[in-house]
Amino acid sequence: MIGLMVVFIALFLLIYLAYRGVSLLILTPALATFAVVASREGSALGSYTQIFMGGAGNFITLYFPIFLLGAVFGKLMEDSGSAQTLANGIIAKLGAGRAILAVVLSGAVMTYGGVSLFVVAFAVFPIAAALFRQANIPKRLIPATIALGAFTFTMTALPGTPSIQNAIPMPYFGTSPFAAPGLGVITALIMFGLGLMWLQYRARSLAAEGYGDHPDAEFSPNRELREKAAGEGFDLMELPVEQPAKDQPSFVVAVLPLITVIAVNLLFTFVVIPRMDTGFLALPLYGETDIEAVRGVWSVIVGLVCALLLLLAMNWRRLPGLKQTLDNGANASLVPIFNTASLVGFGAVIASLSAFLLIRDSVVTLGGDNPLISLAIAVNILAGMTGSASGGMSIALSTLGDTYLEMARVAGINPELLHRVTAVATGGLDTLPHNGAVITLLAIAGLTHRQAYFDLAMVAMLAPFISLIALITLGTLFGNF
């Protein structure tokens, strides 16, 4: 009983102190040590160096290339003007009459192609503000509109997305980024459709309110916002800086790197890697593993590298400060991956305590004979507690991944279905008010939780919940497809 209380106190302090802006790099090892000492189990120093750092280190070993390449890719898309061109092009094509759809699609196209959701938010907001003002749509719907395109179906449901939420399950389940493609597409359409219906309904019901009295001077990330974003766990390098006007790439030049990420990813997953001789992976030198454990990660890495090279080749003259851009992109990958790895280390320490056995036994029985339900609940709760989709997923899989894989084997469930349920389940409670992405998006828009959070939660929390239920129902009835 004391052990359970210690675990819940540690989790409560994690939620509260993270929301108050305490760095996860300091908070997670401190709370992990507190849990060990208060539980009177094991060695505090041993738990820190061997369990906490072991868990964090393994996560970094697996996923650092994806964090690094993704951050550099996003920064190059931003500094080359490609992100702005995409946003301008899609929104201009649809026009003010379809302002909500235009903003959602502009965010979706970029995030599905691998652009950081923070780069998307900074690129899209100024245009969205002008478009919503022109269409006389309430400004308080802008954060929800951006979130629907950038935080939801392209992050978790669409097969092939290079998001870290789609990459993390791959080594645990031996799957690829295209796991359960049919179910993923259906889930994404439900999420997109429900979110869009809600936003359009709200725009009609709030028509009398209009855009509101918001001056909306030309947006620039001021010092206060940059410091706030950094406090929420995002590297300052990920935020844009004011740049002189420059030649913008054409829409075709801007969109080609995004297409390349997905196309090369698909090609390597299903054509190139299956034809490779990968027997060498069984050697001790390569960790005595097999291709199923690394296939997905390899595909995403190659897809991002090819897209980076193409982006550089087509925008060389638009990147006079290329060295600085690459440095900023590389630096921007460090805080996110170390924050997530620290959460994984915290989870590893909690899992080493005897009280965790009681929690595990309770969680895995929640869905009865259907492990998909239990998995979805566990991931959602942990994502909500940590305020991080990737952090919650990583803790769940590092502590319970093998258990769910064995349960799925016994139940005859395809690991690809486990992958897709895990990914989609991260996109629910992670959007609670203390989520760093939520706080930063509201700060970009200059709005408060009271003004804009309700609609944001409807499209980024409720719609994914309903989509997750549909995914589990379809997967249970028809299996993986």
Side-chain angles (χ1 to χ4, degrees):
M1 186 65 180
I2 293 177
L4 284 174
M5 288 181 60
V6 168
V7 170
F8 288 127
I9 290 171
L11 288 171
F12 171 78
L13 290 173
L14 177 66
I15 297 170
Y16 176 75
L17 294 175
Y19 182 66
R20 301 296 297 177
V22 179
S23 169
L24 288 174
L25 300 180
I26 297 172
L27 189 57
T28 49
L31 290 176
T33 302
F34 158 77
V36 172
V37 172
S39 298
R40 299 180 181 177
E41 295 185 32
S43 163
L45 287 174
S47 294
Y48 176 66
T49 61
Q50 306 307 117
I51 301 177
F52 182 94
M53 289 308 301
N58 288 339
F59 182 87
I60 293 171
T61 299
L62 279 172
Y63 301 111
F64 180 66
I66 297 176
F67 275 85
L68 173 64
L69 293 171
V72 171
F73 180 67
K75 196 61 180 172
L76 284 171
M77 285 290 293
E78 177 197 331
D79 287 2
S80 67
S82 298
Q84 203 65 59
T85 293
L86 283 169
N88 291 339
I90 295 171
I91 290 173
K93 193 75 174 177
L94 293 174
R98 297 177 180 174
I100 292 174
L101 178 62
V103 173
V104 171
L105 290 182
S106 64
V109 168
M110 283 192 277
T111 49
Y112 186 55
V115 179
S116 161
L117 58 90
F118 299 104
V119 171
V120 171
F122 281 111
V124 170
F125 172 74
I127 312 168
L131 204 60
F132 273 48
R133 183 184 289 277
Q134 181 182 348
N136 206 31
I137 299 172
K139 181 186 177 182
R140 59 172 154 148
L141 295 181
I142 293 179
T145 307
I146 294 175
L148 177 60
F151 294 8
T152 60
F153 59 95
T154 58
M155 183 179 81
T156 63
L158 280 180
T161 176
S163 72
I164 192 62
Q165 290 78 14
N166 192 42
I168 288 175
M170 296 188 299
Y172 293 98
F173 301 138
T175 50
S176 77
F178 296 89
L183 288 169
V185 169
I186 292 171
T187 305
L189 289 173
I190 295 172
M191 215 178 293
F192 168 74
L194 289 175
L196 191 62
M197 286 170 57
W198 175 260
L199 290 171
Q200 291 175 336
Y201 159 73
R202 288 286 283 170
R204 290 193 300 269
S205 63
L206 298 173
E209 176 182 319
Y211 184 79
D213 185 18
H214 304 284
D216 280 340
E218 185 175 350
F219 176 73
S220 174
N222 57 34
R223 179 179 177 182
E224 180 182 356
L225 174 56
R226 292 167 68 82
E227 290 176 351
K228 186 176 185 62
E232 295 303 328
F234 311 120
D235 198 290
L236 292 178
M237 299 299 180
E238 201 166 4
L239 304 181
V241 295
E242 294 183 14
Q243 296 177 332
K246 57 189 174 188
D247 175 38
Q248 296 288 313
S250 68
F251 186 84
V252 173
V253 169
V255 80
L256 274 177
L258 306 187
I259 296 173
T260 300
V261 173
I262 305 301
V264 173
N265 192 344
L266 183 66
L267 181 67
F268 260 74
T269 298
F270 296 109
V271 179
V272 176
I273 290 180
R275 297 181 181 180
M276 293 172 59
D277 179 7
T278 57
F280 64 88
L281 290 172
L283 298 173
L285 177 64
Y286 298 99
E288 297 179 317
T289 186
D290 57 44
I291 189 58
E292 294 305 315
V294 296
R295 176 181 55 161
V297 174
W298 283 8
S299 298
V300 174
I301 289 173
V302 175
L304 286 170
V305 168
C306 290
L308 280 168
L309 294 175
L310 179 64
L311 200 160
L312 285 171
M314 294 190 301
N315 294 281
W316 190 265
R317 61 186 177 82
R318 298 186 184 92
L319 295 164
L322 178 59
K323 179 180 179 298
Q324 188 63 47
T325 295
L326 294 176
D327 285 349
N328 288 348
N331 290 336
S333 69
L334 299 180
V335 170
I337 191 169
F338 274 93
N339 276 341
T340 306
S342 295
L343 288 168
V344 173
F346 172 80
V349 172
I350 296 299
S352 71
L353 303 177
S354 58
F356 182 78
L357 296 177
L358 298 175
I359 297 173
R360 182 196 65 188
D361 292 343
S362 299
V363 168
V364 297
T365 58
L366 288 176
D369 295 330
N370 191 341
L372 298 177
I373 298 174
S374 171
L375 175 62
I377 293 172
V379 171
N380 239 309
I381 290 174
L382 286 168
M385 285 181 170
T386 60
S388 166
S390 57
M393 174 196 291
S394 299
I395 293 174
L397 293 183
S398 62
T399 55
L400 296 169
D402 291 340
T403 300
Y404 283 118
L405 189 59
E406 177 58 23
M407 291 171 66
R409 186 192 66 78
V410 172
I413 295 174
N414 192 306
E416 289 197 9
L417 185 51
L418 288 181
H419 174 131
R420 190 54 56 206
V421 168
T422 303
V424 173
T426 64
L429 291 180
D430 73 306
T431 318
L432 286 171
H434 65 286
N435 175 272
V438 170
I439 293 171
T440 303
L441 179 56
L442 293 177
I444 291 171
L447 296 168
T448 64
H449 280 76
R450 183 175 183 178
Q451 291 172 306
Y453 180 72
F454 173 71
D455 292 297
L456 196 155
M458 291 297 291
V459 303
M461 186 184 300
L462 183 59
F465 268 144
I466 296 172
S467 304
L468 177 61
I469 293 171
L471 170 61
I472 293 174
T473 302
L474 291 172
T476 301
L477 293 175
F478 304 106
N480 177 68
F481 61 89

